[in-house]
Amino acid sequence: MRKITLSLVVCAFAALSLSQVKLGSPAQTVQSLVSALESGKVNDAAKCVQNAKPTAQVKRNLETIPSQGVKLVANVQTPTIKGSKATATVTITVRMANQPSRSTTESVEFAKVGNSWLIVAPKTMPSPQSAISGIACMLVNGESSMMRPAQSDKTSVCMMNAKQLGLGCMMYAADYDDVYKFKASGWTNAIMPYIKNKAILTCPLDKPGTISYSFNASLIGKNQAVIGRPAETVMIYEGKNKKLLYRHGGKAVVVFADGHANLVSKEEANNLVWKL
């Protein structure tokens, strides 16, 4: 009888553990995702995202979050619900030891599946500020999420490299009153604490160990607030001295001052904004 009772207790604890992933509302789903990421439980995080199928590489990357001492705080505003779909504004605050807190706000889409509200990964590449959407894309599509199907794997990797570099630059600026204070010759070293991966400095189509990307020197020393057309202003690009290298079917990867990345042809390059 005692053995049966003990088995029931064990089962009860197991059920309690499983119930930690709560999906009954958009707010519960976001909180469950954040808790799972903080704990390095990628499979639990995947339960919060519709059609998630995390790759081995994504699992390895996300499982390192606890070892980095990252603390995540989510604030979910009251969602707008229309039938089986919902939209909510979510603010994520990231806290790390010996670093100031950073907050990002984004609009997150949800879909109701059965009794669960699941996060929907966007169909287009999210901006670097979109923490939840970015994680959702990784869990659904892998590291090279949201790339055009026609792009080669190497082009997809190059796009992701550039976006991560752009995010690193923006995180750096956030810690220096929104100013890009580094020097043109030392921008990669300045953002290394934020990206922590030298491999992303090299396009897969470039020679190993080469720094394939450059930072637009016109932005150095400038406050992000004075950039009048951030969606058109170059921040990071493939090439040097404001000359693009068109490695990807006649196009080059460019990251703009608002954080989005795109493939740019020679004709389109004529419309790029380099100076403020």
Side-chain angles (χ1 to χ4, degrees), residues 148 151 155 158-159 162 203 212-213 236-239 243-256 261-266 268-269 272 274:
R148 297 184 183 90
Q151 292 176 352
T155 297
C158 183
M159 288 279 283
C203 169
S212 306
Y213 312 95
I236 291 172
Y237 60 98
E238 283 189 278
K243 294 182 179 179
L244 302 184
L245 290 178
Y246 302 95
R247 298 187 178 99
H248 310 280
K251 294 189 175 184
V253 172
V254 174
V255 181
F256 295 86
N262 208 349
L263 285 168
V264 176
S265 67
K266 291 183 179 180
E268 293 167 331
L272 297 177
W274 292 90

Side-chain angles (χ1 to χ4, degrees), residues 67 90 165 195 202 226:
S67 65
V90 180
L165 293 173
I195 60 173
T202 305
V226 305

Side-chain angles (χ1 to χ4, degrees), residues 89-180:
T89 299
V90 180
T91 299
I92 299 293
T93 300
V94 182
R95 297 173 179 168
M96 297 181 67
N98 302 319
Q99 292 190 27
S101 299
R102 292 186 295 272
S103 297
T104 61
T105 300
E106 63 188 291
S107 179
V108 179
E109 303 291 330
F110 300 84
K112 193 169 187 179
V113 180
N115 294 320
S116 300
W117 283 100
L118 302 181
I119 297 166
V120 178
K123 295 181 180 179
T124 58
M125 187 181 297
S127 71
Q129 293 88 349
S130 301
I132 298 298
S133 296
I135 292 295
C137 285
M138 290 177 64
L139 290 170
V140 172
N141 299 290
E143 288 288 354
S144 301
S145 56
M146 306 335 314
M147 298 299 163
R148 297 184 183 90
Q151 292 176 352
S152 69
D153 290 341
K154 291 183 178 180
T155 297
S156 298
V157 171
C158 183
M159 288 279 283
M160 185 59 66
N161 285 353
K163 276 187 62 64
Q164 291 184 51
L165 293 173
L167 176 59
C169 289
M170 297 177 81
M171 292 172 68
Y172 172 96
D175 287 341
Y176 290 90
D177 299 322
D178 295 328
V179 175
Y180 297 111

